[in-house]
């Protein structure tokens, strides 16, 4: 016999405006009692039709006892009729997914918010199933959704810049965008730009290529972003040309990239007056490939110091040679490092 307070129990003669209203009330009762409820669609349709025809929907009988064990409060949330992802949780899950928050992390956050897994109202499996359905809905319309978003941003602010190209099969091939704030910021801090193409998207195989700088607070700022489909010269030429088109002051004074051979050609072609330098992070990262782990660990800081603090070529050569002597490098190791 369920232990539920009288005011939450169904009573003979109780009336409801619809079958959904009746089901919601009874399902709340079932949760407190410790069992699950279900109504098949054909029966629901029949009841709904009767209600629409003027038939009253009320309680004519109520059997309170059960011939099976009831669930405990800590387990009742696992029963089918009590595992539902509400509209609010669906919206939250969608936001989490867009921010790349994993499902496990989402559940932990919800447990903290609601005071335990039994109070969330759904399980991790329910969340995963919703995410799966959401992804299935997005299949085939991802590019259209992105372009629609860009178009809506353009409607909100005419200074929002975006452009894209499709291939022969009408698939998104490349795109570039920069919002109004980024374009204004470039006017003040666009003398030095970092162009980084080390980020690849797993699902589409496209490259995420942000163009960033640093403001007067030493904070990283984004000037624009692109999605080229490959790292070929043609794609980079298109992207950087669109970047110059979007920015009010044209090409930067200095651009910093990785040591990609295609990128070197592109910079010379698109930014002939711009000083091109290699990213220090990419340079230092190659030391681990050229040196054994112990030597890399012991002399990394001295090598980095020489690169960062040399103001003339002579100072750099001197500090470099000193670092190599301290590392006791000679022969092939020396040549390998000089190739960096």
């Amino acid at each position: 016999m369920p232990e539920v307070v009288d005011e939450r129990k169904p009573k003979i003669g109780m009336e409801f405006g619809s079958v959904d209203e009746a089901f919601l009330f009874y399902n709340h009762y079932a949760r407190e009692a410790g069992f699950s409820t279900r109504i098949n669609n054909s029966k629901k349709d029949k009841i709904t039709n009767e209600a629409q025809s003027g038939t009253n929907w009320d309680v004519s009988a109520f059997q309170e006892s059960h011939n099976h064990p009831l669930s405990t409060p800590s387990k009742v949330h696992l029963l089918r009729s009590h595992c539902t992802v509400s509209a609010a949780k669906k919206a939250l899950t969608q936001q989490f997914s867009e921010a790349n928050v994993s499902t496990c992390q989402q559940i932990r956050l919800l447990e903290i918010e609601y005071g335990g897994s039994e109070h969330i109202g759904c399980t991790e499996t329910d969340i995963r199933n919703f995410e799966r359905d959401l992804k299935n809905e997005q299949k085939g319309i991802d590019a259209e959704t992105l372009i629609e978003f860009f178009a809506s941003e353009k409607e909100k602010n005419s200074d929002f810049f975006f452009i894209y190209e499709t291939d022969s099969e009408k698939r998104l091939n490349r795109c570039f965008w920069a919002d109004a704030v980024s374009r204004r910021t470039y006017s003040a801090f666009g003398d030095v730009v970092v162009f980084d193409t080390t980020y690849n998207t797993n699902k589409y195989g496209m490259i995420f290529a942000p163009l960033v700088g640093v403001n007067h607070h030493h904070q990283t700022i984004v000037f624009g972003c692109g999605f080229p489909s490959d790292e070929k010269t043609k794609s980079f030429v298109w992207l950087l040309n669109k970047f110059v088109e979007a920015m009010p002051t044209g090409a930067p004074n200095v651009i910093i990239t990785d040591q990609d051979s295609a990128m070197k050609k592109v910079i010379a072609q698109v930014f002939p007056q711009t000083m091109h330098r290699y990213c220090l992070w990419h340079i230092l990262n190659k030391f681990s490939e050229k040196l054994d782990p112990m030597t890399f660990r012991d002399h990394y800081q001295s090598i980095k110091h020489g690169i960062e603090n040399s103001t003339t070529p002579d100072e750099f050569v001197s500090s470099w040679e000193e670092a190599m002597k301290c590392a006791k490098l000679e022969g092939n190791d020396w040549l390998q490092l000089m190739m960096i």
Side-chain angles (χ1 to χ4, degrees):
M1 183 70 71
E3 296 182 4
V4 181
V5 294
D6 286 341
E7 59 265 26
R8 295 179 185 172
K9 294 179 183 180
K11 296 178 177 63
I12 295 176
M14 185 178 287
E15 294 187 358
F16 299 94
S18 68
V19 64
D20 290 326
E21 184 183 331
F23 179 79
L24 184 63
F25 176 85
Y26 191 66
N27 197 49
H28 281 312
Y29 163 75
R31 182 181 178 91
E32 291 202 29
F35 65 94
S36 181
T37 58
R38 184 164 61 94
I39 181 171
N40 62 57
N41 290 332
S42 60
K43 187 173 183 180
K44 181 179 178 180
D45 291 340
K46 180 177 181 296
I47 296 172
T48 302
N49 291 333
E50 289 176 353
Q52 290 175 345
S53 64
T55 305
N56 291 329
W57 177 236
D58 55 19
V59 180
S60 59
F62 173 51
Q63 178 63 47
E64 188 172 5
S65 62
H66 291 256
N67 59 1
H68 59 84
L70 298 173
S71 178
T72 61
S74 63
K75 298 288 182 63
V76 71
H77 68 285
L78 300 175
L79 299 178
R80 180 176 296 180
S81 68
H82 308 306
C83 285
T84 56
V85 184
S86 65
K89 290 190 183 70
K90 287 180 179 179
L92 185 61
T93 295
Q94 189 168 359
Q95 292 175 352
F96 278 144
S97 298
E98 291 171 354
N100 292 323
V101 178
S102 69
T103 308
C104 293
Q105 290 174 318
Q106 291 183 41
I107 290 296
R108 283 197 287 271
L109 290 171
L110 290 173
E111 287 176 351
I112 294 171
E113 175 70 19
Y114 290 94
S117 59
E118 66 272 19
H119 301 303
I120 295 176
C122 59
T123 64
E124 183 174 335
T125 300
D126 297 321
I127 297 291
R128 291 188 185 279
N129 289 340
F130 171 70
E131 289 179 319
R132 177 203 62 204
D133 295 340
L134 193 63
K135 289 177 181 178
N136 288 336
E137 290 177 4
Q138 291 295 317
K139 282 183 179 179
I141 62 169
D142 304 61
E144 289 88 343
T145 302
L146 179 65
I147 301 306
E148 286 176 4
F149 171 75
F150 286 160
S152 68
E153 292 299 300
K154 182 74 173 179
E155 289 180 3
K156 296 175 187 176
N157 191 325
S158 59
D159 287 333
F160 183 89
F161 180 95
F162 79 97
I163 192 166
Y164 67 96
E165 285 188 355
T166 57
D167 60 18
S168 58
E169 298 180 15
K170 303 299 181 182
R171 296 176 303 185
L172 184 66
N173 193 36
R174 55 178 72 104
C175 69
F176 173 81
W177 71 96
D179 63 28
V181 174
S182 295
R183 298 176 73 188
R184 289 196 302 269
T185 303
Y186 182 81
S187 300
F189 305 107
D191 51 336
V192 179
V193 171
V194 178
F195 185 31
D196 196 348
T197 58
T198 58
Y199 308 100
N200 291 346
T201 59
N202 296 328
K203 185 175 180 180
Y204 304 101
M206 299 184 80
I207 299 143
F208 178 58
L211 292 106
V212 303
V214 177
N215 66 15
H216 55 305
H217 295 296
H218 296 267
Q219 297 170 325
T220 299
I221 47 177
V222 178
F223 298 132
C225 296
F227 270 132
S229 58
D230 55 52
E231 295 184 85
K232 295 179 180 178
T233 300
K234 183 179 179 181
S235 294
F236 287 145
V237 167
W238 181 90
L239 187 61
L240 292 182
N241 274 322
K242 299 310 174 187
F243 173 75
V244 173
E245 184 181 337
M247 296 304 146
T249 55
N253 296 328
V254 179
I255 188 166
I256 301 172
T257 71
D258 62 15
Q259 293 170 284
D260 182 77
S261 57
M263 186 66 68
K264 184 177 180 180
K265 297 177 183 177
V266 170
I267 299 301
Q269 178 180 339
V270 182
F271 299 152
Q273 305 302 318
T274 298
M275 184 180 296
H276 181 201
R277 290 293 180 262
Y278 292 141
C279 173
L280 180 60
W281 183 87
H282 286 95
I283 293 173
L284 293 173
N285 197 48
K286 290 189 176 181
F287 279 90
S288 61
E289 302 172 7
K290 309 296 182 180
L291 299 173
D292 67 80
M294 294 294 291
T295 303
F296 174 72
R297 184 197 66 185
D298 294 340
H299 300 284
Y300 173 81
Q301 290 299 330
S302 61
I303 295 171
K304 181 182 177 183
H305 181 272
I307 296 173
E308 290 181 331
N309 295 282
S310 299
T311 57
T312 66
D314 289 340
E315 284 184 16
F316 173 75
V317 171
S318 177
S319 63
W320 182 266
E321 289 178 345
E322 183 64 28
M324 295 307 101
K325 289 177 183 177
C326 292
K328 298 180 180 179
L329 296 179
E330 54 185 29
N332 187 58
D333 288 336
W334 176 277
L335 292 175
Q336 288 289 318
L337 282 176
M338 290 302 291
M339 290 175 66
I340 294 178

